[in-house]
Amino acid sequence: MLDANGGPSAGPPSAAVLVCDALDKRYGATHAVRDVSLTLAAGRTLALMGENGAGKSTLMAMIAGEVKPGSGSATVDGFVAVVHQELSLFADLTVGENICIGREPRLLGRGPVNNRALRTQARAALDRLGVAIDVDTPVSKLSPAEQQLVEIARAVALDPALLILDEPTSSLEPSQVDLLHAATERLKAAGTSVIFVSHRLEEVFRFADEIAVMRSGALVGAGPASDFTRESLVASMVGRELEQLYPDRSAARPDAAPILTFDAVGGHGVHDVSLTVKPGQIVGIAGLEGHGQHVVAELAAGVRRVRSGSIAIDETRAKLRSPREAIAAGIAFVPPDRRSSGLMLPLSIAENLTVAAAHRLHPSRLLSRAVEQRAIAPVAERLRLRYASMEQRVGELSGGNQQKVLFGRWLLVPNLRLLVLDDPTRGVDVGARAEIYSVLRELADRGVGVLLVSTDMLELIGLADEIHVMYEGAVRGTVPGHSATEEEIMTLASGVTA
Amino acid sequence: ALTVAGCGSSSSSSSGSATTRADPGGKFTIGYDVYWLGNSWSTQLAEEFRAAAERNRDSIEKVVYTQSDNQVQKQISNVQSMISRRVDAIIMTPISPSASVPVIQQANRAGIPVILVAGQADTRDTAAEVRADDIVFGRTGAEWLVRELGGRGKIYVLNGLPGFSTDTLRWKGAKDVFDRYPDIEVVADAHAAWDTARAKTAVSNMLAAHPEVDGVWSQGGAMTLGAIQAFRAAGKPLVPMTGENNNGLMKVWDSLNRAGDRRFDSIGVVNPTWVGSEALTQTLNLLRGDEVRKVNLVNPAPITSDNLADYVRTDLPDSFWVDTRLDDAQIRALFDR
Amino acid sequence: MERRASPLRARLLRSRELLVSYGLALALLIAFAIATPGGYEPDRILTILGQNAQLGIAAIGQTVVLLSGGLDLSIGPVMNMASVVSSAGMRGQDGNIAQGVALAIACGAGVGLVNGLLVSRAKIPPLLATLAVGTIVQGGYYVYTEGQPKGGVAPGLQSAADARVFDTIVPWWLVLWIAVWVVVAFLLYRTTWGRRFYAAGASPRAAWLSGVAVSRYVVGAYVLSGICAAIAGVALTAYTGSPSVSGADSYTLQTVAAAVIGGVAFSGGIGRLAGAFAGVSVLVFLSTILDTLNVDSAAQYIVQGAVLIGMMVVNRRLAGRGSGSAGR
Amino acid sequence: MSALRATARRSSPLGTTTLAGLKPAFFITLVSIVAVVIAAIMSEPFRSPTNVESLLFQMAPLLLVAAGQAVVITTAGIDLSVGSMMSLATVLAAASSSSAALVIAIVLAVGLAGGLGNGLGVVSGVNPLVMTLGTMAIFRGVALLVLGQPGGIVPPDLLTPLTTVFGNVPLTFLLAVGAVVLLWLATAETRWGRALFAVGGDEGHARRARLPVKRTLLIAYSVSGMFAALAGLALVARIYSGDPNVGDPFALDSITAALIGGIAVTGGRGSVLAVIPAVLLLALTDNLLNLAGVFSYWQYIAKGVILILTLWAYHAAGRPSGLLAMARGGWRKPGGSSGAAGSSGSAAKGAAS
Ligand SMILES: Nc1ncnc2c1ncn2[C@@H]1O[C@H](COP(=O)(O)OP(=O)(O)OP(=O)(O)O)[C@@H](O)[C@H]1O
Ligand SMILES: Nc1ncnc2c1ncn2[C@@H]1O[C@H](COP(=O)(O)OP(=O)(O)OP(=O)(O)O)[C@@H](O)[C@H]1O
Ligand SMILES: [Mg+2]
Ligand SMILES: [Mg+2]
């Protein structure tokens, strides 16, 4: 087992902001963090890498003092601020109130809140990050990216000695990632240390001075960022060579009749969206946050109702009034926010996997555990799900494994014809992503159509046969997947007229 | 005590609004607060009043009814709303003897006499009161039970709800008697909320804990019924139990008598529902300027095995209260509406 | 792949609250056996359980509603309504029992339907919807009876309330309770509907997106609760032998207490039906112990409250956090 | 960035959320004012001094207890013990024949202690409904031990101020309104108040933001206990005595009032100030039905219907999420008008669970 002690941080021990000494944590049968020792010097950025469930968030929580270590200790010289993987803002309070929560400026010493000063302080915090968001807006009205930025602003405003960013970029656009990068550079210059958790390799090399890699709870590699290459990093995370992230494309079937047809569809902020998805085809929808791509997914899945234009299934006009009707027609939906709309967190993995297919698995309506086991075992295997037991609460799984369960739900449905995916790999590690992608490809090869909405352009380019790029609620342009470039998509998505 | 006639007339002369009151042959507006309709006794009390109002149609312009659902707050508001409506007299059953005092005084200040029915208040400012004496109620049953047991034996006690004056007074009446007989031993007691189910459960538990028992003193007929059922369910022979004038008990008692059960006997201590009718009579007398006794305690002779046959109504439901002034048509109406 | 915990162990771990609540029930049972004369006799224990079947049955309905993420505060009024309606239907005749009971159950189901629709369609918070409906129901049977319930309980039904199964010591009413429990438990744990029901309770949005007709299940939960309350109301009326418009008032909160002691959380989807059985046992044996020890009423209130709280604290300690507390 | 809003809002000394919280109460305020005006024109008994005074006296205890309840509900909790705390306060006031100041001190101390007890239970993880169900029984028991039956003597120097009336306006009413306004300011414009809304909105998030979650909850329940005790004193002004059962109906009435005032049962939303129109509406309903001579069983029905209609109106007025107790996790029936921003909002809220 590798030990990061003394390795990466070159400075004298007295400059260490963080010292972790043999941190260890078990959750029942899960050994989440195993004997991790780590030091981090002031003004340095450490990227913490690892597959889903490797123990990154748990380690961070112990460092931040939110979770009591099973054994070992973490010592921080100064204040720790955390931007959590899952947003933790208060939806009903305003941006300003959120940023200053618990530290509101007060009148008359310990008197009432000074709201004017509060607004000023909050504005200053946002300015430091370089974002312009009205401090009086309730957080519930913000887009996920804006919420993420507010959360970061709140942490930065605390002037911490150590700033922990647990997957802060998963919902950010490139330009916003730039803002974050600039902010962390400023903090570093001021002596703040940063721990940065991300599954996006490009960002890791951009942000980090040092890299530490976790696998199955243990620290398996640590060193200056320059010691790693993309390939070596992936290999040490996954514990094997990952030949290829995106599976090969298969031959298109241009002659097949489309499963799904959008004809000038409009409503809920989108208009005149026309597209088709054919069997075996992966159709991508790209766009910057808030330009209507989620609405397209929801219209296709029956989550929202079409206001104008029409949707056809198998070339016959169809009215999808609910997900239930869509499912009956063989259309499945993977929503983007797995914790609130995807999973039933208090229920078991098995219950989560079988909810949609329950009636099909048990036509008599009587549950049979044997039938269920036979059906779900191969799915779990196929997705390389990491779990302690099928009866485990799904809420206890790591984020990436939760995503796999969500995805696996639809692999149990026999009449699946069209899979609508909205940001299906947000926060999913490379290894798991490769697995999900290959399953997607496999489904497509079986003739299932896929409508893939994603903020990750590389993902779209790597998977989709064609990519519709959205801007302000309409399709701005369509590019073939195999030859598309990031620049091309970005240009369309920013509304720049060619 | 002061007779209220003078008080009523003096106030009517001083208050310009009470125009009808001075006229002895005129018609009156009367406020009646129905304190509760949650059990059959309270329902029949209101019905007796209604029937009496019907009988006295000629003297009554209108009855303003309000309903308090056994809530002190509500009763205060209700009576105050009657004051706002300037009724000529208010008839009420105080839910709390102390809490009703201010509102009674408020009515008096507005020149409206207050007549209490089936309850009392901690004040002398009422114009008249018509009720059974709860202490006498408790005592009558206790004395009978002591006699029945020959002054010695183990007994169960079933009380109502703690914190209610009826409960306290009835038990006080009974306890005074039991205290005089050292050989009477209360082996178990419970508050069963005047409820059959609660009494049945309580007595079942008592039977398990104290299987030797010679008698039951109960605060109310519904609880006595529960006690009888508990004895039967446990397969125990019945013992003497005090009761009330509810038809359910009368019927069981009667059938036991017929079956020749010698061990069981009871006493129907009467808490008459017709105080509702009596209260109206007193009120009208008062308003007409007649002399009225301030405190009218009505404790009719209890029902015993000897006169049981005169009271029991096998044709009517258990929830009927015998010893009534309702006529047969009105009784039918009460149960068949 | 990693080593797997056995499914049984995992399932037990997920139901720690359940284990704890049964532990508490057992502890009280032992206290009962020690502290009260004859408390160790099976006959006595079964009798007590049989006498509280109405609470047990009503608590089953409450549990189902809590699992759906709701709350039913109309249970007491529905029980009273069932009491009034069934005796009006029976009119004291054995021949009319079926008719009276069916009428009560139909009314209970109807009230449940209204509750369910208000909650799932009109989006009124369950606490208020059921409170309001309960109030309306109460008004309804007062209007109907004017405080004086009609008809009467059939003697056959009345004697059944105290009768034992053939020559055993098992009360019929306990059998009735267990029968209702078995039916509901079968639906919840042995059918696909139960699966989908739990999903709808745990996360309505996620379930809806998975094709579950959430509002149907929510309505179903309230209807079931209405039916349970109606059966409980009839059982209570049979036990008392006479209808009452207020006899069941205390049951609403007792069912909530029973379900929660049994480990059911307010946030939906967390807890097991079996917990309600433990919860009812805890409440019942506690009050029986206090009654038997002849504890003064005022002191009884204090002891009951303290024990309820103490047990919940112990439950928290032993079962750990994660469900049922103020935050989710 | 299309979603950027750089609108400069005028800088109010009150918080934005504080002001926004008052909006939903506008509707019931309007309804209750209109009802008062119409009733005053139509009904002679209604505008009679006795009735006005009675109405205001009746409102005082409910105002106080509902305000405390509103604070607890804002934390996503509930306090069923307020009714018996009120009873306890009345018997303490009537059983201890000491000076007014001492009685008030005792009553407030007991209210504080009882509320703190509730808070300690809730903080240690006991479900609020069960915790306060337990203390409800305990307070009732204690009240019965203090005074076995209604009665007792309230010290005259306490009773005099309690029953003082200016014109037709009782002092207790004025004090109650004052206390509610103060409590509103405390919840809306102090650090504790902000933490209160945060904890109610999402306890887990609040813990992560290192807010003093426990202290916030303890204060919230203590406030509720104290306000219930004060409500008990306001009740003494009506019953001039102690009564160990008199507070019982207030447990549910206070919850009803708070929710009609727009406090979300899911916590984190609402305004304590809104209990004033809510209590007025409830008191008016009772009063008018009463004056109209509607018998109380119809009053039950009317009340239930009004309750449902009010909440329906909230729903229709476009603040559905505040009232969706059922739909935790931000479940909103899709197809609504809010568009993409709405769904992301619910996502933010739901990400918590
Ligand atoms: N509260 C908990 N109870 C039980 N198990 C838990 C809990 N929290 C985390 N785990 C388990 O601990 C392991 C590490 O989880 P953690 O969230 O730290 O992973 P991660 O590296 O952050 O993954 P991801 O990249 O998916 O966020 C996982 O197997 C997870 O299932
Ligand atoms: N055994 C089956 N084989 C194929 N399709 C099925 C089967 N059972 C159900 N379906 C389809 O799935 C959809 C939902 O099924 P169904 O209406 O039976 O479920 P339900 O019981 O009403 O759902 P819920 O339990 O959510 O109310 C229907 O469109 C139906 O055609
Ligand atoms: Mg993580
Ligand atoms: Mg169905």
Side-chain angles (χ1 to χ4, degrees), chain A residues 64 80 86-90 92 97 102 104 112-113 115-116 119 132 134 136 140 142 146-147 176 303 307 337, chain D residues 1 3-5 7 9 11-17 189 191 194 198 205 208 210 269 334-335 344-345 347-348:
Chain A
V80 192
E86 315 289 348
L87 282 175
S88 46
L89 296 174
F90 304 100
D92 296 314
E97 288 159 354
E104 292 88 355
V113 172
N115 286 296
R116 293 201 177 97
R119 291 190 183 95
D134 179 13
D136 281 323
S140 59
L142 301 181
E146 287 171 320
Q147 295 184 5
Q176 294 167 330
V303 178
R307 292 276 158 78
D337 39 358
Chain D
M1 288 179 91
L4 271 191
R5 279 161 289 251
T7 45
R9 205 172 294 217
S11 204
S12 145
L14 290 180
T16 313
T17 304
E189 293 299 331
R191 272 197 191 170
R194 290 288 152 83
H205 289 184
R208 282 176 173 182
R210 300 192 195 172
R269 239 169 301 171
S344 63

Side-chain angles (χ1 to χ4, degrees), chain A residues 105-265:
Chain A
R106 293 185 282 193
L107 293 165
L108 315 168
R110 295 172 57 81
V113 172
N114 181 346
N115 286 296
R116 293 201 177 97
L118 182 142
R119 291 190 183 95
T120 317
Q121 274 187 18
R123 237 174 253 130
L126 289 167
D127 286 347
R128 266 174 82 180
L129 201 60
V131 293
I133 298 174
D134 179 13
V135 293
D136 281 323
T137 315
V139 157
S140 59
K141 295 250 165 68
L142 301 181
S143 72
E146 287 171 320
Q147 295 184 5
Q148 183 74 67
L149 291 170
V150 170
E151 177 120 18
I152 294 169
R154 179 167 81 184
V156 169
L158 293 169
D159 274 324
L162 173 64
L163 174 65
I164 295 177
L165 301 167
D166 197 350
E167 303 195 33
T169 56
S170 54
S171 60
L172 296 188
E173 303 163 11
S175 64
Q176 294 167 330
V177 175
D178 293 343
L179 289 178
L180 179 61
H181 184 242
T184 55
E185 290 300 314
R186 276 198 301 276
L187 284 171
K188 269 165 63 179
T192 299
S193 305
V194 180
I195 300 183
F196 181 80
V197 181
S198 175
H199 292 294
R200 297 189 182 171
L201 297 182
E202 323 75 73
E203 285 168 5
V204 168
F205 285 104
R206 183 171 168 207
F207 277 73
D209 308 314
E210 295 161 28
I211 293 179
V213 181
M214 290 181 76
R215 192 164 67 226
S216 304
L219 202 60
V220 293
S226 51
D227 287 2
F228 289 88
T229 63
R230 277 185 77 97
E231 288 69 31
S232 70
L233 184 53
V234 169
S236 74
M237 274 166 61
V238 184
R240 65 194 147 93
E241 293 289 329
L242 192 72
E243 352 29 280
Q244 189 181 15
L245 185 56
Y246 300 104
D248 294 327
R249 283 162 211 280
S250 32
R253 294 177 233 181
D255 45 331
I259 304 170
L260 178 76
T261 311
F262 267 42
D263 184 15
V265 166

Side-chain angles (χ1 to χ4, degrees), chain B:
Chain B
L2 221 86
T3 51
V4 198
C7 175
S9 54
S10 73
S11 64
S12 67
S13 54
S14 66
S15 155
S17 62
T19 45
T20 53
R21 219 174 296 166
D23 172 13
K27 291 185 154 196
F28 306 103
T29 300
I30 290 171
Y32 184 84
D33 180 63
V34 180
Y35 84 102
W36 201 30
L37 288 177
N39 61 26
S40 56
W41 192 86
S42 57
T43 311
Q44 196 168 321
L45 172 73
E47 210 50 44
E48 297 259 14
F49 175 85
R50 228 182 276 273
E54 192 58 28
R55 284 196 292 272
N56 290 288
R57 243 191 329 255
D58 299 342
S59 325
I60 297 175
E61 171 79 34
K62 177 181 170 206
V63 181
V64 172
Y65 287 101
T66 59
Q67 212 178 320
S68 290
D69 301 322
N70 218 12
Q71 292 178 19
V72 173
Q73 271 274 313
K74 221 168 173 176
Q75 186 165 53
I76 294 170
S77 307
N78 285 344
V79 173
Q80 284 172 335
S81 86
M82 290 181 195
I83 300 173
S84 328
R85 278 185 279 185
R86 303 201 197 98
V87 296
D88 296 314
I90 294 171
I91 306 176
M92 68 184 287
T93 307
I95 293 163
S96 155
S98 51
S100 47
V101 175
V103 78
I104 291 170
Q105 289 167 343
Q106 196 181 349
N108 285 346
R109 281 197 297 277
I112 303 171
V114 177
I115 296 88
L116 304 188
V117 60
Q120 53 186 318
D122 302 337
T123 175
R124 297 160 151 271
D125 298 336
T126 53
E129 301 177 14
V130 186
R131 64 167 187 271
D133 187 330
D134 279 322
I135 292 186
V136 173
F137 183 103
R139 186 168 63 216
T140 309
E143 280 169 348
W144 171 85
L145 188 62
V146 168
R147 231 177 302 121
E148 194 80 356
L149 300 182
R152 66 162 55 239
K154 296 180 158 72
I155 60 168
Y156 296 164
V157 165
L158 289 173
N159 279 316
L161 264 181
F164 288 91
S165 59
T166 305
D167 173 76
T168 323
L169 294 176
R170 285 185 181 176
W171 172 232
K172 182 177 175 343
K175 190 167 179 302
D176 287 347
V177 175
F178 296 142
D179 283 349
R180 276 187 276 121
Y181 293 89
D183 290 338
I184 293 283
E185 190 193 350
V186 177
V187 289
D189 68 270
H191 278 103
W194 292 290
D195 179 66
T196 310
R198 300 264 290 263
K200 185 173 174 182
T201 305
V203 173
S204 299
N205 290 333
M206 292 172 178
L207 283 171
H210 309 278
E212 276 174 37
V213 59
D214 305 303
V216 175
W217 180 86
S218 149
Q219 276 220 2
M223 294 195 292
T224 312
L225 268 182
I228 293 174
Q229 288 184 24
F231 271 76
R232 284 175 163 172
K236 298 254 180 182
L238 293 172
V239 296
M241 302 179 187
T242 69
E244 215 174 343
N245 53 323
N246 58 324
N247 198 34
L249 177 62
M250 300 294 124
K251 281 174 19 186
V252 173
W253 184 6
D254 186 51
S255 68
L256 283 169
N257 269 358
R258 283 173 209 278
D261 186 325
R262 287 289 106 216
R263 183 129 187 253
F264 179 78
D265 199 3
S266 187
I267 179 170
V269 186
V270 177
N271 182 25
T273 51
W274 48 256
V275 286
S277 141
E278 188 63 27
L280 182 66
T281 311
Q282 302 275 2
T283 306
L284 290 175
N285 288 344
L286 182 81
L287 291 173
R288 290 190 194 106
D290 297 348
E291 189 144 328
V292 164
R293 239 209 354 233
K294 179 146 168 181
V295 177
N296 304 270
L297 295 179
V298 285
N299 285 91
I303 300 160
T304 61
S305 282
D306 301 332
N307 59 2
L308 174 63
D310 304 338
Y311 286 96
V312 63
R313 291 289 301 263
T314 45
D315 56 327
L316 288 176
D318 290 0
S319 52
F320 172 66
W321 292 79
V322 304
D323 193 354
T324 176
R325 287 186 187 171
L326 296 173
D327 62 33
D328 251 27
Q330 286 162 332
I331 294 171
R332 292 270 159 237
L334 181 62
F335 291 101
D336 293 343
R337 61 188 165 206

Side-chain angles (χ1 to χ4, degrees), chain D residues 200-262:
Chain D
D202 196 304
E203 199 179 317
H205 289 184
R207 204 167 285 125
R208 282 176 173 182
R210 300 192 195 172
L211 295 179
V213 174
K214 289 192 176 180
R215 201 200 322 157
T216 307
L217 287 172
L218 287 178
I219 297 177
Y221 281 89
S222 305
V223 163
S224 177
M226 280 225 303
F227 270 66
L230 285 174
L233 289 180
L235 207 49
V236 169
R238 218 157 147 64
I239 64 176
Y240 290 51
S241 59
D243 185 332
N245 295 304
V246 69
D248 291 355
F250 283 90
L252 286 183
D253 283 356
S254 64
I255 295 168
T256 308
L259 297 193
I260 285 185

Side-chain angles (χ1 to χ4, degrees), chain D residues 259-308:
Chain D
L259 297 193
I260 285 185
I263 310 279
V265 263
T266 41
R269 239 169 301 171
S271 177
V272 170
L273 204 56
V275 304
I276 295 178
V279 167
L280 178 60
L281 196 66
L282 282 175
L284 275 180
T285 312
D286 262 0
N287 192 256
L288 290 177
L289 288 173
N290 217 327
L291 289 178
V294 177
F295 231 28
S296 104
Y297 26 71
W298 286 106
Q299 288 183 27
Y300 281 121
I301 296 177
K303 241 175 152 170
V305 170
I306 286 172
L307 213 70
I308 290 173

Side-chain angles (χ1 to χ4, degrees), chain A residues 64-96:
Chain A
E66 289 165 1
V67 166
K68 239 180 86 185
S71 65
S73 66
T75 326
V76 182
D77 182 18
F79 184 76
V80 192
V82 191
V83 172
H84 290 92
Q85 184 171 7
E86 315 289 348
L87 282 175
S88 46
L89 296 174
F90 304 100
D92 296 314
L93 298 182
T94 66
V95 170

Side-chain angles (χ1 to χ4, degrees), chain C residues 63-131:
Chain C
T63 303
V64 171
V65 169
L66 285 171
L67 285 174
S68 82
L71 178 67
D72 190 350
L73 293 187
S74 68
I75 283 181
V78 170
M79 285 178 69
N80 286 332
M81 176 191 73
S83 175
V84 166
V85 166
S86 63
S87 43
M90 281 187 265
R91 294 192 300 276
Q93 308 287 313
D94 279 350
N96 295 336
I97 291 180
Q99 173 187 331
V101 173
L103 200 61
I105 289 180
C107 290
V111 174
L113 184 68
V114 174
N115 278 331
L117 291 175
L118 286 175
V119 168
S120 71
R121 299 277 171 213
K123 305 278 182 265
I124 295 180
L127 185 123
L128 263 196
T130 56
L131 193 65

